[in-house]
Amino acid sequence: MDKGIARRLAARRKQAGLSQEALADKLGVSRQAVSKWERAESLPDTDNLIALAALYGLTLDELLWREADENDSRVSQPASDAAETSGASAGEGFSQGEPDAAEDDRDDGRRDSVANDDQAEASTDDATFGFSRNDNDAESGKNDGADEGDDYAHVSFRDGIHVRDTKKGEEVHIGWSGVHVANRKKGGEVHVGWDGVHVEQPNASGTADDPKSVHIDSSGVIIGEQYFENWHEAHKAFGRKPERAWRSFPFPLVVLVAYVLLGLLANAWLPGLMLAFAVPAYYVIGNAWEKRRLSRLIGGLYPIGAIAWFCWMAFALDQAHPAWVVFLTIPVVEILCAWSRKTWKRRRKTKTSGQ
């Protein structure tokens, strides 16, 4: 944590007339946690920051970034809190006439004895980390990550991960509620969580082919202003092609049944595992046939065949060497397939423009 923030937290506590133990009691945390905040070893989580700001009568920005002033009239407490704080301070921090500075010295002297407690506390309430591009401004009381114009990153067990890139206008938050991605410049927004998936496209035309928003949850699908009970109805309404028969065919189940029968009837459990390679091959062949692309067929089947051949040589015939050389040929075949696709597209484009 930034040392400037730690210094300001300590100054606010002393200005309010609270000892570390008294503050810890009010927040419901351990004294070690408060001590770690003021030693810049950890940062209070969001709930504790809000509680601190309310206790001192400040905003979060004032709590973290404005220097404490002895004549600051905003840092005050109700009469009942002041009396309670006075009693706690007299009984806990000033029973022998020692100032808070002496108490801080004792805290530093007991660091070794409470090392285990500090580590346990750090793993729960204080497991936070933050940084920004303007770290050097923190000592002068400037906001080094909370301003809208600054890049910002925050990692917390409770709050999750929050990253902001002002140059690109992008903001990402990953937490217990899901993943939220927003682009402030373009206005786009995507949310994936327990409540479903929501996509906002403010620059979209709003037509059926380019809706401004899409929402998916357990109750159905909402595209623009149209509601559908499931994706099949949405596909039909938006003119999507119906699902191919080969896609709906349970080919993996057929392979599984064939493997079990082969094992039971021929006791070929180990060789029968080679049938597993038929599953990806089936879908590669189907996609290539649907798109009428020979290069996709070769580029998809060759890696599957190469891996299957190596597994057979290595595990069935115990000849992994030099069978491993086949892996070196996979990138060569893929490069040739990619080159052929580009060449074909270029020729087709030239032919179309010539007409």
Side-chain angles (χ1 to χ4, degrees), residues 54-72:
L55 181 64
Y56 298 149
L58 303 169
T59 64
L60 287 176
D61 287 343
E62 291 172 336
L63 174 68
L64 296 176
W65 311 115
R66 196 178 74 178
E67 296 293 341
D69 188 353
E70 292 182 358
N71 298 323
D72 192 348

PDB file of all heavy atoms in Angstrom, residues 54-72:
ATOM      1  N   ALA A  54     -17.168   6.999   7.223  1.00  0.00           N
ATOM      2  CA  ALA A  54     -18.362   7.356   7.991  1.00  0.00           C
ATOM      3  C   ALA A  54     -18.007   7.703   9.435  1.00  0.00           C
ATOM      4  O   ALA A  54     -18.587   8.621  10.026  1.00  0.00           O
ATOM      5  CB  ALA A  54     -19.365   6.199   7.949  1.00  0.00           C
ATOM      6  N   LEU A  55     -17.057   6.972  10.014  1.00  0.00           N
ATOM      7  CA  LEU A  55     -16.658   7.227  11.396  1.00  0.00           C
ATOM      8  C   LEU A  55     -16.037   8.604  11.555  1.00  0.00           C
ATOM      9  O   LEU A  55     -16.290   9.306  12.543  1.00  0.00           O
ATOM     10  CB  LEU A  55     -15.668   6.144  11.836  1.00  0.00           C
ATOM     11  CG  LEU A  55     -15.154   6.233  13.279  1.00  0.00           C
ATOM     12  CD1 LEU A  55     -16.297   6.040  14.263  1.00  0.00           C
ATOM     13  CD2 LEU A  55     -14.069   5.196  13.520  1.00  0.00           C
ATOM     14  N   TYR A  56     -15.222   9.027  10.559  1.00  0.00           N
ATOM     15  CA  TYR A  56     -14.543  10.317  10.634  1.00  0.00           C
ATOM     16  C   TYR A  56     -15.369  11.441  10.021  1.00  0.00           C
ATOM     17  O   TYR A  56     -14.961  12.603  10.062  1.00  0.00           O
ATOM     18  CB  TYR A  56     -13.199  10.241   9.923  1.00  0.00           C
ATOM     19  CG  TYR A  56     -12.238   9.239  10.532  1.00  0.00           C
ATOM     20  CD1 TYR A  56     -11.304   8.563   9.745  1.00  0.00           C
ATOM     21  CD2 TYR A  56     -12.256   8.948  11.897  1.00  0.00           C
ATOM     22  CE1 TYR A  56     -10.426   7.638  10.289  1.00  0.00           C
ATOM     23  CE2 TYR A  56     -11.400   8.033  12.449  1.00  0.00           C
ATOM     24  CZ  TYR A  56     -10.479   7.380  11.650  1.00  0.00           C
ATOM     25  OH  TYR A  56      -9.609   6.466  12.195  1.00  0.00           O
ATOM     26  N   GLY A  57     -16.519  11.121   9.405  1.00  0.00           N
ATOM     27  CA  GLY A  57     -17.347  12.149   8.787  1.00  0.00           C
ATOM     28  C   GLY A  57     -16.738  12.706   7.523  1.00  0.00           C
ATOM     29  O   GLY A  57     -16.845  13.908   7.245  1.00  0.00           O
ATOM     30  N   LEU A  58     -16.084  11.844   6.729  1.00  0.00           N
ATOM     31  CA  LEU A  58     -15.402  12.276   5.514  1.00  0.00           C
ATOM     32  C   LEU A  58     -15.903  11.466   4.328  1.00  0.00           C
ATOM     33  O   LEU A  58     -16.563  10.443   4.480  1.00  0.00           O
ATOM     34  CB  LEU A  58     -13.887  12.087   5.645  1.00  0.00           C
ATOM     35  CG  LEU A  58     -13.186  12.786   6.812  1.00  0.00           C
ATOM     36  CD1 LEU A  58     -11.768  12.274   6.932  1.00  0.00           C
ATOM     37  CD2 LEU A  58     -13.189  14.291   6.601  1.00  0.00           C
ATOM     38  N   THR A  59     -15.556  11.940   3.141  1.00  0.00           N
ATOM     39  CA  THR A  59     -15.769  11.140   1.942  1.00  0.00           C
ATOM     40  C   THR A  59     -14.562  10.227   1.754  1.00  0.00           C
ATOM     41  O   THR A  59     -13.509  10.416   2.399  1.00  0.00           O
ATOM     42  CB  THR A  59     -15.932  12.024   0.695  1.00  0.00           C
ATOM     43  OG1 THR A  59     -14.710  12.739   0.460  1.00  0.00           O
ATOM     44  CG2 THR A  59     -17.078  13.016   0.889  1.00  0.00           C
ATOM     45  N   LEU A  60     -14.680   9.247   0.868  1.00  0.00           N
ATOM     46  CA  LEU A  60     -13.549   8.343   0.620  1.00  0.00           C
ATOM     47  C   LEU A  60     -12.364   9.095   0.049  1.00  0.00           C
ATOM     48  O   LEU A  60     -11.204   8.810   0.393  1.00  0.00           O
ATOM     49  CB  LEU A  60     -13.981   7.223  -0.330  1.00  0.00           C
ATOM     50  CG  LEU A  60     -14.896   6.148   0.263  1.00  0.00           C
ATOM     51  CD1 LEU A  60     -15.312   5.160  -0.806  1.00  0.00           C
ATOM     52  CD2 LEU A  60     -14.195   5.420   1.408  1.00  0.00           C
ATOM     53  N   ASP A  61     -12.613  10.045  -0.857  1.00  0.00           N
ATOM     54  CA  ASP A  61     -11.509  10.822  -1.421  1.00  0.00           C
ATOM     55  C   ASP A  61     -10.790  11.627  -0.341  1.00  0.00           C
ATOM     56  O   ASP A  61      -9.556  11.703  -0.319  1.00  0.00           O
ATOM     57  CB  ASP A  61     -12.029  11.762  -2.506  1.00  0.00           C
ATOM     58  CG  ASP A  61     -12.395  11.013  -3.781  1.00  0.00           C
ATOM     59  OD1 ASP A  61     -11.935   9.864  -3.918  1.00  0.00           O
ATOM     60  OD2 ASP A  61     -13.114  11.569  -4.622  1.00  0.00           O
ATOM     61  N   GLU A  62     -11.563  12.232   0.552  1.00  0.00           N
ATOM     62  CA  GLU A  62     -10.942  13.007   1.627  1.00  0.00           C
ATOM     63  C   GLU A  62     -10.184  12.100   2.580  1.00  0.00           C
ATOM     64  O   GLU A  62      -9.112  12.475   3.081  1.00  0.00           O
ATOM     65  CB  GLU A  62     -12.018  13.788   2.383  1.00  0.00           C
ATOM     66  CG  GLU A  62     -12.641  14.913   1.565  1.00  0.00           C
ATOM     67  CD  GLU A  62     -13.827  15.550   2.273  1.00  0.00           C
ATOM     68  OE1 GLU A  62     -14.432  14.868   3.128  1.00  0.00           O
ATOM     69  OE2 GLU A  62     -14.145  16.709   1.975  1.00  0.00           O
ATOM     70  N   LEU A  63     -10.715  10.930   2.843  1.00  0.00           N
ATOM     71  CA  LEU A  63     -10.050   9.997   3.758  1.00  0.00           C
ATOM     72  C   LEU A  63      -8.700   9.550   3.210  1.00  0.00           C
ATOM     73  O   LEU A  63      -7.708   9.478   3.952  1.00  0.00           O
ATOM     74  CB  LEU A  63     -10.944   8.776   3.981  1.00  0.00           C
ATOM     75  CG  LEU A  63     -10.334   7.634   4.792  1.00  0.00           C
ATOM     76  CD1 LEU A  63     -10.122   8.062   6.241  1.00  0.00           C
ATOM     77  CD2 LEU A  63     -11.209   6.391   4.728  1.00  0.00           C
ATOM     78  N   LEU A  64      -8.651   9.270   1.918  1.00  0.00           N
ATOM     79  CA  LEU A  64      -7.433   8.678   1.342  1.00  0.00           C
ATOM     80  C   LEU A  64      -6.449   9.703   0.796  1.00  0.00           C
ATOM     81  O   LEU A  64      -5.237   9.470   0.819  1.00  0.00           O
ATOM     82  CB  LEU A  64      -7.818   7.705   0.222  1.00  0.00           C
ATOM     83  CG  LEU A  64      -8.632   6.473   0.636  1.00  0.00           C
ATOM     84  CD1 LEU A  64      -9.008   5.666  -0.585  1.00  0.00           C
ATOM     85  CD2 LEU A  64      -7.842   5.614   1.609  1.00  0.00           C
ATOM     86  N   TRP A  65      -6.972  10.827   0.316  1.00  0.00           N
ATOM     87  CA  TRP A  65      -6.071  11.703  -0.439  1.00  0.00           C
ATOM     88  C   TRP A  65      -5.886  13.094   0.154  1.00  0.00           C
ATOM     89  O   TRP A  65      -5.010  13.829  -0.296  1.00  0.00           O
ATOM     90  CB  TRP A  65      -6.612  11.845  -1.872  1.00  0.00           C
ATOM     91  CG  TRP A  65      -6.957  10.525  -2.484  1.00  0.00           C
ATOM     92  CD1 TRP A  65      -8.183  10.078  -2.859  1.00  0.00           C
ATOM     93  CD2 TRP A  65      -6.055   9.452  -2.761  1.00  0.00           C
ATOM     94  NE1 TRP A  65      -8.110   8.809  -3.350  1.00  0.00           N
ATOM     95  CE2 TRP A  65      -6.814   8.390  -3.311  1.00  0.00           C
ATOM     96  CE3 TRP A  65      -4.680   9.285  -2.612  1.00  0.00           C
ATOM     97  CZ2 TRP A  65      -6.249   7.193  -3.691  1.00  0.00           C
ATOM     98  CZ3 TRP A  65      -4.110   8.078  -3.000  1.00  0.00           C
ATOM     99  CH2 TRP A  65      -4.892   7.060  -3.535  1.00  0.00           C
ATOM    100  N   ARG A  66      -6.692  13.514   1.130  1.00  0.00           N
ATOM    101  CA  ARG A  66      -6.503  14.834   1.717  1.00  0.00           C
ATOM    102  C   ARG A  66      -5.760  14.708   3.021  1.00  0.00           C
ATOM    103  O   ARG A  66      -6.105  13.878   3.872  1.00  0.00           O
ATOM    104  CB  ARG A  66      -7.856  15.530   1.941  1.00  0.00           C
ATOM    105  CG  ARG A  66      -7.684  17.038   2.169  1.00  0.00           C
ATOM    106  CD  ARG A  66      -9.022  17.714   2.339  1.00  0.00           C
ATOM    107  NE  ARG A  66      -9.610  17.419   3.653  1.00  0.00           N
ATOM    108  CZ  ARG A  66     -10.757  17.927   4.070  1.00  0.00           C
ATOM    109  NH1 ARG A  66     -11.463  18.706   3.270  1.00  0.00           N
ATOM    110  NH2 ARG A  66     -11.227  17.629   5.271  1.00  0.00           N
ATOM    111  N   GLU A  67      -4.743  15.546   3.193  1.00  0.00           N
ATOM    112  CA  GLU A  67      -3.946  15.515   4.419  1.00  0.00           C
ATOM    113  C   GLU A  67      -4.797  15.945   5.607  1.00  0.00           C
ATOM    114  O   GLU A  67      -5.625  16.863   5.499  1.00  0.00           O
ATOM    115  CB  GLU A  67      -2.731  16.440   4.285  1.00  0.00           C
ATOM    116  CG  GLU A  67      -1.750  16.013   3.205  1.00  0.00           C
ATOM    117  CD  GLU A  67      -1.068  14.705   3.540  1.00  0.00           C
ATOM    118  OE1 GLU A  67      -1.065  14.320   4.724  1.00  0.00           O
ATOM    119  OE2 GLU A  67      -0.542  14.056   2.618  1.00  0.00           O
ATOM    120  N   ALA A  68      -4.607  15.265   6.744  1.00  0.00           N
ATOM    121  CA  ALA A  68      -5.346  15.606   7.962  1.00  0.00           C
ATOM    122  C   ALA A  68      -4.837  16.912   8.548  1.00  0.00           C
ATOM    123  O   ALA A  68      -3.628  17.164   8.590  1.00  0.00           O
ATOM    124  CB  ALA A  68      -5.221  14.476   8.982  1.00  0.00           C
ATOM    125  N   ASP A  69      -5.759  17.755   9.001  1.00  0.00           N
ATOM    126  CA  ASP A  69      -5.422  19.035   9.614  1.00  0.00           C
ATOM    127  C   ASP A  69      -5.949  19.052  11.038  1.00  0.00           C
ATOM    128  O   ASP A  69      -7.066  18.621  11.306  1.00  0.00           O
ATOM    129  CB  ASP A  69      -6.054  20.174   8.806  1.00  0.00           C
ATOM    130  CG  ASP A  69      -5.592  21.546   9.284  1.00  0.00           C
ATOM    131  OD1 ASP A  69      -4.894  21.609  10.311  1.00  0.00           O
ATOM    132  OD2 ASP A  69      -5.927  22.541   8.630  1.00  0.00           O
ATOM    133  N   GLU A  70      -5.120  19.532  11.964  1.00  0.00           N
ATOM    134  CA  GLU A  70      -5.536  19.525  13.366  1.00  0.00           C
ATOM    135  C   GLU A  70      -6.786  20.368  13.589  1.00  0.00           C
ATOM    136  O   GLU A  70      -7.567  20.113  14.498  1.00  0.00           O
ATOM    137  CB  GLU A  70      -4.396  20.068  14.238  1.00  0.00           C
ATOM    138  CG  GLU A  70      -3.185  19.140  14.268  1.00  0.00           C
ATOM    139  CD  GLU A  70      -2.103  19.682  15.167  1.00  0.00           C
ATOM    140  OE1 GLU A  70      -2.313  20.785  15.723  1.00  0.00           O
ATOM    141  OE2 GLU A  70      -1.070  19.017  15.319  1.00  0.00           O
ATOM    142  N   ASN A  71      -6.999  21.376  12.743  1.00  0.00           N
ATOM    143  CA  ASN A  71      -8.164  22.240  12.891  1.00  0.00           C
ATOM    144  C   ASN A  71      -9.311  21.822  11.985  1.00  0.00           C
ATOM    145  O   ASN A  71     -10.257  22.571  11.786  1.00  0.00           O
ATOM    146  CB  ASN A  71      -7.776  23.702  12.576  1.00  0.00           C
ATOM    147  CG  ASN A  71      -6.725  24.224  13.543  1.00  0.00           C
ATOM    148  OD1 ASN A  71      -6.758  23.900  14.728  1.00  0.00           O
ATOM    149  ND2 ASN A  71      -5.793  25.033  13.021  1.00  0.00           N
ATOM    150  N   ASP A  72      -9.204  20.636  11.417  1.00  0.00           N
ATOM    151  CA  ASP A  72     -10.244  20.149  10.513  1.00  0.00           C
ATOM    152  C   ASP A  72     -11.509  19.876  11.319  1.00  0.00           C
ATOM    153  O   ASP A  72     -11.563  18.955  12.132  1.00  0.00           O
ATOM    154  CB  ASP A  72      -9.774  18.864   9.817  1.00  0.00           C
ATOM    155  CG  ASP A  72     -10.699  18.482   8.671  1.00  0.00           C
ATOM    156  OD1 ASP A  72     -11.788  19.061   8.572  1.00  0.00           O
ATOM    157  OD2 ASP A  72     -10.315  17.585   7.899  1.00  0.00           O
TER     158      ASP A  72
END
